Amino acid sequence: MRSNDFGTLRPGVAITTTVRVWSAVGVYVLSTLAASAVLLAVQPHSGIDPAALSLVQFAPALGALTTWLMFRKTIAGLRPAAISARRVRTNILTMVVLCATLWLLITMAALISGTAIAGPATVGGTPFAVFVLLQLLGAGGEEIGWRGLMQPILESRMARFTAISVTGATWALWHVQALAAGPAAAACFLISAMAFAIVLGYLSNGSFRQRVLTASIGHWLINIAVNLVAGDNTLGHPQVVFVAVAAAFIAAGVLVYTHRTRVERDSALDTTAPDGWQA
């Protein structure tokens, strides 16, 4: 447990730190929303088709920067410790496998149902290869804020699953355009977003840079997988249903594996601990 976790400081210090932590979360959300409004207004004048790259994807990074400038000392004290490069590579490889599984599941569903598959087509007048690179930039812009800043801050005050869920819910609601696509599409999108939040949240471990790297690659591959099947029509039927079901299936697998790993680790600690000591 880090020295600034709630309960390890003197009461007055702990309360002050907690207030600053929640203030930082509030500033992040509000500054991200403000940046989103500005970027949405700029998009039509940028000459960039939002189907190829939506500028609003960089709003979380701007929100994270604003929060860091205002709460630098508080956030610095909550930074998670780095993990080994080997574990990061394992997490990234696992992310790649899961995203490939996502693509395979939604592709099979489309083929079985007779739904047309977009494939590596031009997106918003942008060649597919360029689209792929632009999506990597956009995914990084989002993950700097969501899995890089917000989730680690919340993890300092609540269980990891809860922190992932709160971050995921905020991330999902931030996609207002998806929520305005009709009740069925909105429900499927919310399921997908929460499922992807679980995948990205549990596999993104370590320091800020390590988390952003892993989450950005995962987010990027998810976007590409969905686009290869649905093209620009990611909220259309039945593609949005395919994605929701496949995402929920993969997230369930991640939760089962995470729970099993935690149980095995706790059992190993109990076995090696001295009599009368509990982890």
Side-chain angles (χ1 to χ4, degrees), residues 197-238:
I198 289 172
V199 175
L200 298 174
Y202 273 114
L203 289 178
S204 301
N205 299 296
S207 65
F208 167 79
R209 293 181 181 178
Q210 291 171 329
R211 288 181 181 229
V212 171
L213 174 63
T214 306
S216 296
I217 291 175
H219 192 150
W220 173 54
L221 292 177
I222 288 169
N223 287 351
I224 299 303
V226 173
N227 180 270
L228 283 172
V229 176
D232 294 347
N233 193 26
T234 56
L235 294 175
H237 295 275

Side-chain angles (χ1 to χ4, degrees), residues 70 83 139 142 234 255 268 274:
M70 293 181 64
I83 58 177
E142 287 196 44
T234 56
L255 287 175

Side-chain angles (χ1 to χ4, degrees), residues 33-93:
L33 291 176
S36 298
V38 173
L39 292 174
L40 286 172
V42 170
Q43 182 88 52
H45 307 286
S46 67
I48 302 174
D49 192 307
L53 177 66
S54 181
L55 296 181
V56 76
Q57 288 181 281
F58 298 102
L62 295 175
L65 176 60
T66 301
T67 308
W68 171 259
L69 293 175
M70 293 181 64
F71 297 91
R72 185 168 183 172
K73 291 183 178 180
T74 300
I75 295 173
L78 299 175
R79 287 182 299 182
I83 58 177
S84 67
R86 180 178 181 180
R87 186 177 171 192
V88 173
R89 289 193 297 269
T90 299
N91 289 341
I92 292 176
L93 178 59

